Amino acid sequence: MTHRGSRVLHVGSLSRVEGEGALSLHVHDGTVTDARLEIYEPPRFFEAFLRGRSYTEPPDITARVCGICPVAYQMSACAAIEDACGVAVDPVIRDLRRLLYCGEWIESQALHIYLLHAPDFLGRPSAIDLARTHRTEVERGLRLKKAGNSLMELLGGRAVHPVNVRLGGFHRAPVRTELRTLNEELKHALDDAWATVRWVAGFEFPDASVEADLFALTEPDTYAIEGGTPTVLRADGTNSHFPVREFTEHVSETHVAHSTALHSRLDGRLHLTGSLARFAISGRLLSPLALEAAVEAGLGDPREGAVCRNPYRSILVRAVETVYAVAEALRIIDGYEPPAHPYTEVPPVAGVGHGATEAPRGLLYHRYELDGDGVVQSALLVPPTAQNQGAIEDDLRRLAQHAIREHDPDDDELTSLCERAIRNHDPCISCSTHFLDLTVVRTSGTTAGGCDA
Amino acid sequence: MAAKLAVFKLASCDGCQLTLLDCEDELLALAGEVEIAHFPEASSAIAPGPYDLSLVEGSITTPEDAERVHTIRTDSRHLVTIGACATAGGIQALRNFADVEEYRRTVYAHPEYISTLATSTPVSTHVDVDFELRGCPVERRQLIEVITAFLAGRKPDVPDHSVCFECKRRGTVCVTVAHGTPCLGPVTHAGCGALCPAYHRGCFGCFSPSGSVNLPALIPLLRRDGLDEDAVGRFLHTFNAAAFDEELSK
Ligand code: SF4
Ligand code: SF4
């Protein structure tokens, strides 16, 4: 007979996440023996059908991996293919790419904060429901999100799957006055982003800590977005980095039966990418305004070594990053001089190229092998959620174990605890798959084998 | 009682349903008019069917989804498919022209864990559909128009002329005539507002073939503009591959 000390809990169709998946938890005599995030999104085979396509096509095609972060796919694809062809774009183009990426950061972080994550802290099923009592806040969130979308629409043509990105730069570069039309909306967005920091700082945060290694790109003198060097911060505080071309020598993927997303390890250990990792690794390089926001949010000052490992508090880091992205967009627009040509020519070269950029949800790596005519011979895409899946499961196991030890919650409570834990990490399952079913399997010494607590 | 709206996802990128959340100015007003009964991406409150209007994103690529779409149909008074995936199989329909077993081995170390169909097919191949809204992704204003039309019990006002009309309306210089840029605008469904030509590139057909088109007549023009046979094939084989093939064979 199953009793509370031993059970299997299964949660079907996780909500307020991107994509579909399921979660199962196995509890044996009060010990969590297994926590699995089951990604069951149907496989879409991008890496297979990219073979044989022209090297000019991956930016448009891979955007369709994910409607939430198409710019990330476009940017990592461009970076990798330009690397293969030995082309470096000029700084104005780089700035424009960063500007487009800021639009995606603003849009995606606002979406996560207001529509997916905040309802958890206020005990509501959705932002739409939350609007009944917090209309001003939800309207502010939508306005902030819209500012990010406006930026993507102007520079990219549209917010989901922008059409203006191409190898070497853009099909058309905006003129100065065009970009400046965004100033007013962005200035307003800066106020909204600050108000967001203050709002979320007032939420209640349970104690928790992720133990995984943190992994993000770094640049020598700026908060990395559209490029950088892969850098690892271990729990013991040690730091190391490696060139992007060595990515697969460090991050290895394995395929497990319960998921269509591959599981990865960094030098054999669990790792986490995304806002928490970026803030821990490069926080000191945030702009003065964003640093001020971090202090105001209660995250401490990253210049003095403040690091946040509490996954519930990731919403604070996202809010700070939103302040940064809005201010960064205003800065780039202010200094913008149109390039002489909207793109650099990228002639095909036989070879292998690597590219990584910081999607809102974490580091996204692409690798392409081209022949001399620019035909793609092989493609590899390693999205952030696939990298994070192991660390998320570890976090889930720890949180569920803690709750069971403390007060042994019933299945409903355990389910919502687990769903919250997953939303903390902002997983985008479309890139690998769909969301969540929770199963808790509780067994005792007499009914299950193999696991003595 | 408020009409019940549902949003379902099959194999897709989430971009079309995100377009609904990107209607920042209309979202709360819409939520005041309808009951959002099933929309897992936006709400953890899920009400059982039947639903007055179901929006379905994504194509059928697994045996489970082929089953599930029948349940969705039974539960829905009106079923509207949104996006190139749901209306034409989407980018994942490129498998229809390849060996899926080989795909499985290419992408996964343990292909035996992966359950998939050899094809990616539109929802209308499996069940009756009341309306198909095209685009990869769908366009925001068209999406709002379709939802309001169904809620009001009228026909959606979504024209099926080609992208060319929208270029003319927008005053964009024709990229094919002026620059010899290969463009599928003449044979592609309107809806995006002729986005690509306005950004100095040719249309690549993300809104599917338009109603009455003469696709074979465009091929020589694409050749003239520098595409060889392979490139023409790839040009037509992106987000609506099966739909363009069907047009070609007409
Ligand atoms: S049609 Fe395009 S935007 Fe819509 S779900 Fe499919 S891939 Fe995404
Ligand atoms: S012009 Fe063509 S490819 Fe570009 S957005 Fe419109 S329909 Fe899609």
Side-chain angles (χ1 to χ4, degrees), chain B residues 22-38:
Chain B
D22 279 353
C23 298
E24 289 96 358
D25 292 333
E26 297 88 1
L27 190 62
L28 294 180
L30 178 71
E33 298 288 314
V34 300
E35 181 196 342
I36 299 192
H38 181 285

Side-chain angles (χ1 to χ4, degrees), chain A residues 15-16 18 41 43-44 51 53 57 60 64 67 125 145-146 149 153-154 158 163 171 430 434, chain B residues 9-10 12-14 21-22 24-25 40-41 44 61 92 95 102-103 136 140 199 201 234 237:
Chain A
S15 57
R16 272 187 286 125
E18 305 299 344
E41 178 96 4
R44 297 170 69 211
R51 291 168 310 168
R53 305 294 301 206
E57 296 182 278
D60 285 322
R64 270 68 181 183
K145 181 165 154 302
K146 190 179 171 191
N149 280 336
E153 280 162 17
L154 192 129
R158 64 182 167 200
V163 300
H171 290 278
S430 323
H434 274 47
Chain B
K9 173 185 158 65
L10 306 165
S12 67
C13 82
D14 278 61
L21 298 179
D22 279 353
E24 289 96 358
D25 292 333
E41 173 162 322
S44 50
T61 62
Q92 53 275 9
R95 78 179 67 184
E102 194 268 337
Y103 271 22
C136 178
R140 195 186 290 167
Y199 282 81
R201 70 181 292 191
R234 286 198 312 269
H237 275 201

Side-chain angles (χ1 to χ4, degrees), chain A residues 15-20 41-49 51-54 57 60 64-68 107 115-116 125-126 128 131 135 139 142 145-146 149 153-154 157-158 160-161 163-164 171-172 255-257 260 430 434, chain B residues 9-15 18 21-22 24-25 28 31 36 40-45 61-62 65 68 91-92 94-95 102-104 106-110 113-114 116 136-137 140 195-196 198-201 206-207 234 237-239:
Chain A
S15 57
R16 272 187 286 125
V17 293
E18 305 299 344
E20 289 187 346
E41 178 96 4
R44 297 170 69 211
F45 300 117
F46 278 84
E47 289 160 334
F49 60 64
R51 291 168 310 168
R53 305 294 301 206
S54 162
E57 296 182 278
D60 285 322
R64 270 68 181 183
V65 172
C66 175
I68 322 301
E107 182 279 322
L115 272 69
L116 310 182
S126 69
I128 289 157
R135 182 101 189 177
E139 282 179 351
L142 290 171
K145 181 165 154 302
K146 190 179 171 191
N149 280 336
E153 280 162 17
L154 192 129
R158 64 182 167 200
V160 177
H161 307 327
V163 300
N164 194 17
H171 290 278
R172 179 168 84 73
H255 186 189
V256 294
T260 47
S430 323
H434 274 47
Chain B
K9 173 185 158 65
L10 306 165
S12 67
C13 82
D14 278 61
L18 179 67
L21 298 179
D22 279 353
E24 289 96 358
D25 292 333
L28 294 180
I36 299 192
E41 173 162 322
S43 175
S44 50
T61 62
T62 64
D65 281 350
R68 187 157 71 107
I91 184 79
Q92 53 275 9
L94 292 177
R95 78 179 67 184
E102 194 268 337
Y103 271 22
R104 222 197 292 241
T106 304
V107 177
Y108 296 98
H110 291 283
Y113 296 161
I114 297 295
T116 191
C136 178
R140 195 186 290 167
L195 214 47
C196 291
Y199 282 81
H200 300 177
R201 70 181 292 191
C206 78
F207 271 65
R234 286 198 312 269
H237 275 201
T238 53
F239 311 109

Side-chain angles (χ1 to χ4, degrees), chain A residues 238-259:
Chain A
T238 54
N239 221 309
S240 61
H241 51 84
F242 53 83
V244 182
R245 66 172 184 279
E246 288 172 14
F247 186 89
T248 52
E249 289 163 38
H250 293 272
V251 177
S252 58
E253 295 188 292
T254 51
H255 186 189
V256 294
H258 67 270
S259 172

Side-chain angles (χ1 to χ4, degrees), chain B residues 174-241:
Chain B
C174 176
V175 294
T176 297
V177 172
H179 311 292
T181 305
C183 181
L184 292 179
V187 296
T188 299
H189 207 285
C192 68
L195 214 47
C196 291
Y199 282 81
H200 300 177
R201 70 181 292 191
C203 170
F204 49 89
C206 78
F207 271 65
S208 289
S210 59
S212 50
V213 298
N214 189 350
L215 182 53
L218 184 71
I219 307 293
L221 214 60
L222 297 175
R223 288 258 169 79
R224 183 204 70 187
D225 292 339
L227 301 189
D228 63 20
E229 199 181 333
D230 279 358
V232 168
R234 286 198 312 269
F235 207 34
L236 296 171
H237 275 201
T238 53
F239 311 109
N240 291 287

